[in-house]
Structure formats: C-alpha cells, structure tokens
Amino acid sequence: MNYYLTNEELVEAGKHYLGEYPELAKASIEKAEQASKNLFRVPFSMDMDHWVDLGEPIDWRYNPSNDLEFTWVLNRHWYMLDLGRAYLITHQEDYVHTFIKHLRGWIVQNPVPKDLSYEEATFFQQPGPWRLLEVGLRVQSWISAYKYMEGSSVITTHFREEFLSSLVEHANYLTSYLGSTEINHAIMHMQGLFMISVFYNEHPRASFWRQFATERLELCMVHQIDADGVQCELTTHYHNGSIEMFGAPYLLGKLSGYPMSEWYANNLRRMGAFTHAMIRPDHGSTAAGDSDLISSGTERLALLGAILEDEQCIAMGEMSSEILWMFGRDRFENFKKQQQSFKPQPPTTVSFPQTGFYIMKDEQNYLFFDAASMGGAHGHADALNLEWMWKRNLLFLDPGRYTYEEGEWRRYFKSTCAHNTVAVDGLDQTPYVASQEWGIPAAECVTNRWITGDEYDFIDASHNGYLRLDAPVQHRRWLLLGKKRSFMIVVDWLESEGTHDIEQRFQLPPSANARILDEGDARPKATIDYSSAIQLRMHWMTSSDQSDHFAVVCEQGWVSEIYGVKTETSTIVGKGTMNGRMGIVTVCTPVDLEEDSVQPIITGLAIDHIQQAVSFSMTDKTGNLAIHLDCNEINWTC
C-alpha cells in the first residue's frame, strides 16, 4: 500500500462523494472547470471570494494583492485535489490533461532554487513557491491528485517518470533545509516528506526519507505539544490542523507497514482531548489566536478517531469528506453508524493548567477563559480574555483573525481592544511589531486560584503585560460562573502609581442589540437582546482611590467568521480613569424571555478596592443567594 486507498476504492469514494456531499462535489467540478481556464479562487487569502485569471501560461508568482498568502497558498496546489475528484466523478479526461499541463508548466517555471538563505527557504521568502511550507503541502496535493487520476490512460509512463523526478527534487530540498521544529511549519514539511517516502517507496533513498521524517515529526511533538496536549502556538486553528498533520503520517505508516510508536499515538490522543474540550454546544470552537470564528474541532476529532481506531473519538466528532477520501466508502459508512449509536455524556468543566486554558461547562454554559501565554506569532494580545455561550447563544465572542496582510486590520484583530479583557491607555498587552512578530516583553499570565464544583467555577488570574509601562499597571481578574444559577461575575483589579485610561471590553455577536443605561452614580447598566429570546442584563460598580467617573458606552467592533471576511458588530466598553488602585465588578444575568417566568433580581452589589473584596446578592426562581469574594476565600450562602 503506497497510498490511503487503492484505485478501486478511490473510484467508489468518488461515487459516494457525489451522493453524500453533492454541494462539495459540485464545487469540485466547478473548481476543476475553472482551473482548466487558468482561473482560481485562492483560499485563506484576501482574494478568496472571486476567480483570478493567472494567464496563459500560468504565472505561478502572480499576486493581485499585498497579501503574501496568495502566492504561498496558490503554490500549495490544493485545487489539484478537485481536478482529481472531478475526474473520479465525471471521468472527463480534460481534467487529467489540465493536471499534467499545470504540473509540467510549474516545473519549468520554478526550478529548484540554488543557494537560498535559511530565512528565504524556511519562513519569510518574499514571496515564492519554494518556502518549505509550500513544498511540504504541494507534494501532498500532487500525490493525492495523481492517485485520483492514476487509472486514466492519459497518465503515461513518461509523465510518471517526470512526476517522480520532481518528487525526488522536492524530497531532497526538504532534507536540505530544516525549519524549526518549534512551529507548525515543520510538521507540514515532514508530513510531505513522509508521503513521498511511502508513495515512491522503491526509490533508493525512500527509507532515509521515511526515517528522517519520522524522527523530525517526533521532535515536533516534543517541542510543540505540551503536557496538556495543546499545540504550542495556542490557537484553535493550528492545534486542530496539527492533528491532521501529525495524524496523516501515522495512518500512512500503519498502512504501509512502517508503524509509528505508541508514544506518538498517545500524544495524538492528548491533542484530541483538548480539541474535544474546546467544542461548544453549537459545535463551533472558540477562535483563540489566529483562528476563524467558524472554527470547529468536530471533524478533526472524528478524523483522529478514525486514524487511531478509537470508536468514542469517532462518535464524539463529525463525519467529513476528508474521512471518505482517506478511508473509503465502506469504513466511512461504518464510522457513521458508530456516531448514530453514540450517547453523549453531560458536559463537564475541563482545565488545562499548564497551558492556562480553562473551559467551564455544564448543561447551559460554555465559557472559555484564557490565562495562557502569547503562543508566538499566531497569538493575540488577549490575556484574561473570555468567550461565553449560554443556552447555545454566544453572548460574548472572540473576534477571529480576518487577515495576515500587514496593515491596520491585522493589527486590530490581534489587539487587546478587540478582545473581552481590559486595555490600558489603548495599548496592547504585548507590543505589536508586525503581522507575524510581537515585541518584548511578552505578557505572561499566572493562575492564582482555580476552583471547580457543583455550584460554580471560579478562576483568579493575572498578567504582567502592562508592567512595562513607565507607571506599571498590574491587572488581575476574577471570574465566577454560576452553574445551577444563571449568572457570571467578573471582577477586574488594577493597581498602579500613575494615572491611566482604562477600557473594559465585551465584544457582542453582530445580531445583538445593546441598550445602555447610565444612572450617573457609578452603577451603569446595559441590556443586550440577541436574535433569539435570550436577553443579557449587565450591572457595573467601581471602587478606586480617585472618584473619577466610570461610564459604559456601546462602540463599533468587528468580527471575522472566516479569513478575508469581516462584519461590523457592537462592543460594550466600560471606560474610566484610574490613579492608584481600582476595582470594577461586572455582573451578567442572562434570561430566556420565553421560558423564565421569574427573572433574577440583583439585591446587593458592593466592591472594596482596598480590601479587594466583592459582595453580591440576588434572588431568582431558586431563592436567595449571597456571595462574598476576597483574595482568600469564597463564601456562598443560599
């Protein structure tokens, strides 16, 4: 076996693709038709929403934008998968001719470069098709597309020799420049090399390529996957992507008779546990760091389960066309049956203390709290950020990533002000330098207390990002989430010897409608109506060394569902000026106007910044509740 499936299995997968995923099949045929005209849509670029003409012959370095991702993604040749799938569906030889023509044209236009610098080959090549990341991904596109079309009479012995010769060039290139095993790029480099070693296993160097790739994939696991099972860049997108990057070589090794270690498999299982924890009740996932708002780990979870032959992991996930193309029709259908018989367990709170991620879950709540480090270039300045979903409605959300193109929008979506935390003087917690570069010092978080129980979950964390200021500011945040009672308390403690402007921000989904009521007595209120019958009421109280006015306003914000697309939304912003010490307590009480006949009433709220203590009381359909919080304990009285 030198591929996931035999030619016969791929033919059956093509038939099943058309029946199981008719819209995706239609899209594959459309992409194949357009590619035959040298027209392309390039995903994960600012030109992904329209067809771009690359000319005749194709100019593989053409870029109509300032987004380097366009050139890089184009040269990954993902569209060739659609050429192959369209061929399996329609048996039109034109798609095979297009594949051969494009591949030959690319090889002529892009000979292997000589004497590239390490930086050009591994990271910020300006721009070009031989950055190692593109090399590793491109060969996977080539090999899969070739296997899809291998049964065509158009595939000649001469073309196969050309094809194999170029794969050898790619393999030698991948072993000549070694990207850092501390970032996700290196996984993709070695994923591609491992695939070449299996596909072209009769080559004299195949065993060397396979051993080389295996050892470096293991190094990537050592350097990138922490004790919690979280990929080191601390983003939903790259963590879930890494599952496929690590998992595909594991599957190919097993199929080809070169299995990887149980240690490797156990690391994959730990990664899957984090992916599962991050799945919200709506099957989305928090867009931590450089991730899309529509990110979801459900398909990656099922794929991982299939790779590891883990029935529970398969059942907890969601089937995808990727599983069909890697496992074939029969196993795909067996996996579907496993999912249909699965009975999910009630959601429970999960913590990843070494990383600093806390996911508070019960039948009504999903709350993600970020007390993690920056996570590198793909991280955002979002220390102590939160995302909250109640009754499957997103109340506060992470904005997503939008673009990697340098400019104001890249800076905005990575900024502290775009997240649900506190910004000081309008500055980021970590200085922004460029699209893929943060300054120093990078903000670091500390979890002071973490308590989870039947009645509530509580986190107490702080970060040092603003200690770099001439008049340093320490930010500490407490968050208490009721489980049997529907409320959340957020307390922000700020301490400095200087004067600073403070903004406490809560980003809403675009469908939400916010109304602010400022009574002028340091007790502003807000009511937010969501698209369903869900309503959120927010109450604030402040305490500080200075009696400066604290006001709550509604400002414009932005969210990005997917790369290259942004939507205007609203942000609730609490604004004040601090001089010395300041405390802000925010109480949030969600209600379902269709189901909750008795709505919660806040009967008491007090905050003392000197003692660092908060008292809160409320009454709801369950009865009375009083809570006292300080730096040492939580008193909960029903």
Side-chain angles (χ1 to χ4, degrees):
M1 175 69 75
N2 67 353
Y3 190 66
Y4 304 109
L5 301 174
T6 65
N7 183 256
E8 292 76 13
E9 289 171 328
L10 285 170
V11 170
E12 290 302 316
K15 296 175 183 176
H16 211 60
Y17 185 53
L18 184 61
E20 191 78 18
Y21 298 101
E23 292 303 315
L24 289 180
K26 180 181 177 182
S28 288
I29 293 171
E30 181 184 21
K31 290 175 187 176
E33 285 291 324
Q34 298 290 11
S36 299
K37 304 171 189 174
N38 297 349
L39 297 171
F40 300 88
R41 276 187 176 147
V42 180
F44 303 112
S45 78
M46 301 306 289
D47 292 271
M48 63 184 293
D49 62 342
H50 59 276
W51 299 103
V52 178
D53 190 343
L54 296 186
E56 178 61 52
I58 290 175
D59 180 0
W60 293 104
R61 294 173 183 259
Y62 174 70
N63 190 332
S65 70
N66 294 319
D67 188 359
L68 297 179
E69 293 292 323
F70 183 93
T71 301
W72 288 331
V73 175
L74 175 66
N75 283 276
R76 295 170 191 173
H77 291 175
W78 285 333
Y79 79 93
M80 287 185 175
L81 299 174
D82 293 296
L83 283 171
R85 290 167 183 172
Y87 171 74
L88 286 170
I89 295 168
T90 67
H91 306 291
Q92 289 190 26
E93 303 292 353
D94 286 347
Y95 301 140
V96 187
H97 284 292
T98 298
F99 169 65
I100 294 172
K101 176 184 175 183
H102 285 184
L103 194 141
R104 282 174 168 163
W106 187 93
I107 292 172
V108 169
Q109 187 188 123
N110 298 284
V112 181
K114 306 296 183 183
D115 301 322
L116 281 185
S117 69
Y118 173 81
E119 289 75 16
E120 288 177 314
T122 57
F123 198 40
F124 278 122
Q125 189 175 347
Q126 297 294 323
W130 283 97
R131 186 175 67 152
L132 283 177
L133 177 56
E134 278 59 68
V135 179
L137 292 175
R138 179 168 57 247
V139 295
Q140 296 174 68
S141 299
W142 284 10
I143 291 171
S144 291
Y146 180 93
K147 292 298 293 186
Y148 293 163
M149 297 182 244
E150 190 175 26
S152 169
S153 60
V154 178
I155 300 290
T156 63
T157 301
H158 179 64
F159 173 71
R160 178 177 171 82
E161 290 173 353
E162 292 179 78
F163 182 68
L164 292 175
S165 177
S166 189
L167 287 182
V168 171
E169 290 183 327
H170 279 67
N172 290 335
Y173 189 86
L174 286 166
T175 54
S176 298
Y177 294 94
L178 304 182
S180 170
T181 54
E182 295 183 356
I183 62 173
N184 68 74
H185 288 205
I187 316 174
M188 290 175 270
H189 306 164
M190 294 302 105
Q191 183 185 2
L193 182 64
F194 193 92
M195 194 170 193
I196 297 173
S197 77
V198 172
F199 176 77
Y200 196 6
N201 60 357
E202 65 269 28
H203 191 277
R205 287 173 62 85
S207 61
F208 165 71
W209 296 334
R210 184 174 60 252
Q211 181 179 352
F212 189 97
T214 301
E215 290 178 356
R216 288 188 63 79
L217 283 166
E218 290 176 346
L219 274 177
C220 286
M221 274 197 164
V222 170
H223 293 155
Q224 294 184 42
I225 310 305
D226 66 22
D228 285 337
V230 183
Q231 201 267 343
C232 64
E233 289 165 291
L234 307 186
T235 77
T236 315
H237 177 83
Y238 289 99
H239 176 88
N240 290 337
S242 295
I243 285 178
E244 185 272 332
M245 297 174 214
F246 282 123
Y250 180 86
L251 175 61
L252 275 177
K254 183 166 55 174
L255 292 173
S256 61
Y258 301 101
M260 294 182 177
S261 67
E262 186 62 20
W263 169 86
Y264 192 100
N266 286 336
N267 277 307
L268 284 171
R269 291 186 182 95
R270 292 191 300 113
M271 293 179 71
F274 176 70
T275 292
H276 178 250
M278 288 286 283
I279 296 173
R280 299 186 310 233
D282 66 346
H283 293 174
S285 299
T286 299
D290 275 343
S291 304
D292 293 328
L293 195 64
I294 60 172
S295 291
S296 175
T298 55
E299 292 185 354
R300 281 291 184 265
L301 194 62
L303 175 63
L304 178 61
I307 289 170
L308 295 175
E309 300 180 83
D310 184 323
E311 292 187 5
Q312 184 176 18
C313 197
I314 294 168
M316 292 188 302
E318 181 180 352
M319 297 302 293
S320 67
S321 61
E322 187 174 13
I323 295 176
L324 173 61
W325 290 113
M326 292 177 74
F327 291 89
R329 178 196 62 190
D330 293 344
R331 296 192 70 191
F332 178 89
E333 286 300 316
N334 287 336
F335 296 151
K336 280 178 61 178
K337 290 177 182 177
Q338 291 175 24
Q339 289 190 335
Q340 291 166 0
S341 62
F342 177 66
K343 295 181 179 179
Q345 298 296 312
T348 57
T349 290
V350 186
S351 64
F352 298 86
Q354 178 163 323
T355 304
F357 286 155
Y358 299 84
I359 301 101
M360 309 176 196
K361 292 184 180 182
D362 58 36
E363 293 290 355
Q364 292 190 328
N365 290 290
Y366 166 97
L367 194 146
F368 171 81
F369 189 89
D370 185 346
S373 62
M374 173 62 70
H378 286 296
H380 290 185
D382 58 358
L384 312 188
N385 178 49
L386 65 95
E387 179 172 85
W388 186 21
M389 171 171 278
W390 185 76
K391 284 192 173 183
R392 300 177 65 88
N393 289 266
L394 265 177
L395 306 183
F396 305 132
L397 52 77
D398 191 286
R401 58 176 169 169
Y402 180 54
T403 183
Y404 290 164
E405 180 180 327
E406 186 59 77
E408 63 173 315
W409 289 114
R410 175 60 168 160
R411 184 162 190 166
Y412 170 80
F413 278 90
K414 288 174 70 100
S415 73
T416 301
C417 288
H419 293 84
N420 304 313
T421 186
V422 172
V424 175
D425 296 332
L427 300 173
D428 290 326
Q429 297 158 341
T430 299
Y432 179 93
V433 175
S435 173
Q436 299 288 342
E437 184 180 0
W438 288 104
I440 54 175
E444 297 175 335
C445 292
V446 174
T447 298
N448 305 303
R449 289 178 290 174
W450 165 242
I451 302 169
T452 182
D454 295 334
E455 297 286 352
Y456 61 85
D457 288 334
F458 175 79
I459 183 78
D460 169 3
S462 56
H463 76 85
N464 63 3
Y466 292 123
L467 294 183
R468 73 180 192 274
L469 304 182
D470 292 338
V473 180
Q474 177 70 59
H475 178 205
R476 182 172 181 175
R477 170 169 275 191
W478 300 347
L479 186 148
L480 188 148
L481 179 70
K483 290 184 172 179
K484 299 175 183 177
R485 319 287 281 265
S486 297
F487 70 93
M488 177 181 71
I489 301 174
V490 177
V491 187
D492 289 303
W493 300 110
L494 300 133
E495 186 170 350
S496 176
E497 294 182 357
T499 301
H500 298 278
D501 293 327
I502 301 299
E503 291 187 353
Q504 181 205 49
R505 308 180 73 89
F506 295 94
Q507 184 123 310
L508 307 178
S511 59
N513 178 42
R515 291 169 281 138
I516 309 297
L517 175 62
D518 189 342
E519 298 177 346
D521 61 352
R523 297 190 63 175
K525 300 178 180 64
T527 300
I528 300 105
D529 295 307
Y530 295 85
S531 55
S532 59
I534 302 301
Q535 185 179 85
L536 180 67
R537 296 167 185 176
M538 302 179 69
H539 301 253
W540 286 264
M541 180 170 282
T542 62
S543 174
S544 63
D545 289 341
Q546 302 286 328
S547 58
D548 294 309
H549 182 63
F550 178 84
V552 174
V553 299
C554 187
E555 295 184 351
Q556 182 187 59
W558 296 89
V559 299
S560 175
E561 285 196 347
I562 193 168
Y563 192 101
V565 178
K566 66 181 187 299
T567 304
E568 185 177 339
T569 190
S570 299
T571 304
I572 303 293
V573 186
K575 296 187 174 187
T577 302
M578 65 169 290
N579 188 340
R581 288 174 293 179
M582 182 179 188
I584 309 168
V585 57
T586 310
V587 178
C588 303
T589 55
V591 294
D592 185 333
L593 298 177
E594 291 182 348
E595 296 183 4
D596 298 332
S597 56
V598 178
Q599 298 180 4
I601 298 174
I602 295 175
T603 55
L605 183 61
I607 179 170
D608 184 337
H609 70 280
I610 297 175
Q611 299 296 324
Q612 282 203 331
V614 169
S615 295
F616 163 74
S617 60
M618 66 178 287
T619 181
D620 60 12
K621 60 185 178 183
T622 306
N624 297 324
L625 174 65
I627 300 171
H628 179 82
L629 306 172
D630 60 33
C631 291
N632 299 309
E633 60 183 357
I634 302 171
N635 289 322
W636 177 287
T637 306
C638 296

